[in-house]
Amino acid sequence: FVYLNLNFKKTTLKQLLTILLSIFFVSFFAQKATPLKSIGFSKVNLSQQQDIWQVNLQSKEMPNPEGNSEKDRLLKLKNELALKYPRKINQTPTKSSLDSLAQELIIEEGFNGNPYNNRVPNDNTLAISKDGIIILGINSRYLFYDTNDSSFVGAGSLHLFTSGFPQLNTVSKYDPKFIYDPNEDRFIISFLIGTSYQNSNICVAFSTTNDPSDDWNVYLLSGDPLETQHWTDYPAISVTEDELFITGNLLANGVSWQLGFQQSLIWQIDKYDGYNGENELDFQLWNDIKDDTIFIRNIHPARGARNLRGPNQFLLSNKNFSAESDTVYLIEITNTFSSGNANLNLTRLSLDDHYFLSPNGKQSIAKELSTNDSRVLGAVVDDNWIQYVHHSMDTTYGTSGIYHGTIENYSSSPTVYGKIISDSIMDYGYPNIASTGINPNEKECVIGFNYTSAVDTNGVACYYMDNLSNYSSRIKLKAGEAPINSFVSGTVDRWGDYFGIQRMYSEPCKVWMSGMYGKISSNASWVSKVAVSDSCRNPDPIITIDPPFNNGSLFPNPAVDWMIYDFTLDQTQMISISIYDTQGKLVKTLFNDQASSGENRLTFNTYYLEQGMYIIRISGNTNVLETKKFIKGY
């Protein structure tokens, strides 16, 4: 029931329609959450495993993003757009859609990331710790690299992670996603297993320390979690203060997208169960995510721009298979799974300008490079904004560009706008984004991507945007040595479905990237480190202001030196307030005395706590009154 108190003399028809539409969206965008459990657990030490065969089967036919009939539909739409917005001829290759006003980045390091290759897109992913240990993923392979002494310290196939599940030894492993948790100083790895509903699984592995050579806690999630005879494809991940989020699409076996796509899903997982090596992961699966009656597809989570965020997680989607559109979907999952109060809210936003399907990338040979569709490929979130990137044609030049979008005030009255980054000759593909901001809501960022052209082979590049939204010139990180020509047949080749990127949490003005370039008779991944300047500036001083009373809140969280705990009592009584670790061991009793009814505020020093997660518990004479989780940061 909704009660409206309107002054019709002051309320315009447009305002009334806006109110009624907002009620419609709140009422009818109801989503489902299904509680589930993992289906397998093992502990693996990769240094004690060996995969002498290192099998990796890749189809030599051109894969399609969502099936054959959808490939045909996309091709038709792209051809129609090319006729409407043809490529301009006689343009100089230095012409860009941007004014080069921002400072230039400094390239600090670069090296080849994959000694192994099967001449298919590298599906690049990476994560790097505060201590400089980087883990790289390409297709079915991983690499561990120590940036301190520039040495590879481990390599292997994804088969090693599932060595505890012998029934999966001969099943494909692919689409790895790696992420680093700066709060816990650990890594999380996720990848897909199998390409049919009969053998589809998602593997999720949690490192037990900050050394990837130590033990990993490995879990299997069903790739057909709703038991609808579909398998999971196209994963993306993010991590918050308390949780891990995984997104993916459900597809039917061997069926075209139009008939085979069922829906996109979101897995909401308590990450501490994985870190602690629990026998099962309890999680919540969000499904039936719709705009009215249409399923939202290809959902991508937004990662914290400067640090981990929580408890709410934001995710994005758009109309990524439309020839052109102005629609952006903002999804918010409020509260954690363990709270029992998680909800999913969906908001449809409209851009002033449209984004478009991109043409395929041109090469010096006849074979083009596939840009697939316009799905969101990367997103970061700060206190007041979300920035994201995906493909879009620049209709001025007819080339494939990058749509760089921003959603302002996403928690209250969201507005969205964007800019297409492009070139008159070059085509840009598979962008991703990382923040280099130091202080809250600084928008500066690095956008990494692949590039190609008919006159300049292919390679890996990036742009830097400063806090005034000025972009640098294009910065080439690695030029390709030869055209990409993996598939013998056809006129289109794969170009790399993913681009790896992450900021350095210990040096936030620096960013690591991993993209794809062509070599003679192979493809390769190029890993780069770039910096905004020679040295990171210090953050602005924090002016401490006592927050207003907020019942049940812990502030700040994560805590570094101190914490405030606000709580309310119905009556004056004896209470005990204690801190426990996640194993239930008592760390410290902070208070054991009589407390007054009404509002109470407890302040305590957290400096001497070790980094990690803790539980604060307030107990009365006979029962526990409240428990809260908090994190001791660094």
Side-chain angles (χ1 to χ4, degrees), residues 34-41 165 167-168 174 190-204 218-233 235 246-251 262-269 280-287:
T34 305
L36 294 170
K37 294 180 181 291
S38 57
I39 58 176
F41 167 71
F165 309 104
Q167 73 275 19
L168 300 175
Y174 60 100
S190 176
F191 57 89
L192 301 182
I193 304 171
T195 55
S196 67
Y197 78 86
Q198 291 93 338
N199 61 14
S200 178
N201 291 276
I202 302 172
C203 179
V204 186
V218 183
Y219 298 86
L220 289 184
L221 313 182
S222 172
D224 183 21
L226 300 176
E227 298 182 349
T228 56
Q229 297 188 354
H230 292 79
W231 58 281
T232 296
D233 195 14
I246 303 175
T247 63
N249 297 333
L250 289 184
L251 303 177
Q262 192 199 45
Q263 59 177 300
S264 294
L265 304 176
I266 304 171
W267 285 258
Q268 183 180 9
I269 305 166
E280 291 181 325
L281 289 181
D282 290 320
F283 60 89
Q284 187 159 254
L285 184 75
W286 293 96
N287 56 294

Side-chain angles (χ1 to χ4, degrees), residues 109-162:
E109 194 167 346
F111 59 87
N112 270 302
N114 60 325
Y116 158 87
N117 188 270
N118 197 18
R119 298 187 64 196
V120 293
N122 307 322
D123 288 346
N124 296 285
T125 183
L126 67 80
I128 184 167
S129 71
K130 291 179 289 186
D131 293 333
I133 303 299
I134 189 169
I135 60 174
L136 302 165
I138 47 165
N139 302 337
S140 62
R141 296 277 296 174
Y142 68 84
L143 297 171
F144 300 152
Y145 183 83
D146 189 341
T147 64
N148 299 296
D149 59 9
S150 301
S151 64
F152 288 98
V153 294
S157 70
L158 298 179
H159 293 289
L160 297 181
F161 280 93
T162 59

Side-chain angles (χ1 to χ4, degrees), residues 350-416:
S350 294
L351 292 154
D352 289 336
D353 299 313
H354 288 197
Y355 55 87
F356 302 81
L357 282 175
S358 282
N360 293 326
K362 296 291 187 180
Q363 295 196 93
S364 59
I365 60 175
K367 184 165 289 187
E368 298 179 342
L369 298 178
S370 175
T371 54
N372 290 342
D373 49 70
S374 296
R375 67 187 69 184
V376 175
L377 294 169
V380 291
V381 55
D382 211 320
D383 292 349
N384 292 336
W385 53 253
I386 297 172
Q387 295 186 62
Y388 64 96
V389 289
H390 58 77
H391 289 133
S392 176
M393 170 191 272
D394 187 333
T395 57
T396 302
Y397 305 127
T399 56
S400 176
I402 299 165
Y403 193 92
H404 180 199
T406 302
I407 301 174
E408 302 272 9
N409 302 315
Y410 54 81
S411 291
S412 53
S413 301
T415 57
V416 62

Side-chain angles (χ1 to χ4, degrees), residues 549-553 564-569 575 577 591 595-603 618 625-626:
F549 182 86
N550 187 4
N551 187 44
S553 73
I564 290 174
Y565 178 33
D566 287 345
F567 62 94
T568 301
L569 295 178
I575 64 169
I577 304 176
F591 182 87
S596 300
S597 62
E599 296 179 355
N600 290 270
R601 169 166 289 178
L602 175 76
T603 304
I618 177 170
L625 302 178
E626 190 172 38

